[in-house]
Amino acid sequence: MKNYFKSIFLGLFVLIGAFSCDPLKDIRDQIGNGVAPTIIDYELLEGDYELSCNPNVVRFGSFSDQNLPQDDTCGLAQIINQKFFGTDGDIMNATYKFYTGPIRGTVDTVSALKWKSEYNAWEISPVYTFTVTEDAHVHEYTLTDADYASQGESYPNFDSRGNTQEDVDQKIANILNSQTEFEIKEGDVVKVNYATYPANTYPSPRNYKASL
């Protein structure tokens, strides 16, 4: 009988310990930070508009000049936040219905949303075009292993056997749009440090200017 109660006591002790202490907590907390940002394409379904807190969006199943998708309270992000959870730097290209008036009627429109980890929410965010420039930079960014992986690279570099300089420039633009180290504004120039294979195949660092 004594051994029976001893076994129960030990079992409860192990069970309590399992719930009160997770020796892998620090590692688990870091896993999310290592997930490469992604670009997601999503087209709103008919039922998605019913999630809006704007009764006109619910009624007509579309946004308009009077019911803007950029609205901070009842806009596009308010719908997307109820459907999807993101990771640092994720970009969602959301296609939705926008009523333009009696002539053109409703047209499909795309807006980019960016996941803001500090708010745990999606926000409509501009997606910039980046062009090579010799202007002085205001930001500097060095590509990470996760950045290369997010663009389909198997190693922490751009392999020139599968990428032209134009391909590299476009992938860097994708990365700059998804990075969260600093906020980019129109006209900003970012100095980007990146690696290629074979080494020095393409010029690095390289300055890129943001424009809408």
Side-chain angles (χ1 to χ4, degrees), residues 91-93 111-113 125-130 173-174 177 211-212:
I91 293 175
M92 177 175 291
N93 296 315
S111 287
L113 298 95
S125 177
V127 174
Y128 294 101
T129 297
F130 288 90
N174 295 340
N177 272 311
S211 61
L212 290 173

Side-chain angles (χ1 to χ4, degrees), residues 35-92:
V35 176
T38 57
I39 297 178
I40 306 158
D41 293 317
Y42 179 72
E43 183 172 355
L44 266 66
L45 304 174
E46 185 176 339
D48 290 343
Y49 298 95
E50 297 177 5
L51 299 174
S52 176
C53 57
N54 183 329
N56 289 325
V57 173
V58 175
R59 178 183 178 187
F60 298 108
S62 64
F63 292 96
S64 67
D65 287 335
Q66 289 73 41
N67 306 284
L68 291 171
Q70 298 93 338
D71 185 271
D72 290 336
T73 304
C74 296
L76 177 62
Q78 184 253 334
I79 294 175
I80 297 298
N81 281 326
Q82 297 178 70
K83 294 182 66 70
F84 300 100
F85 188 82
T87 302
D88 265 358
D90 282 356
I91 293 175
M92 177 175 291

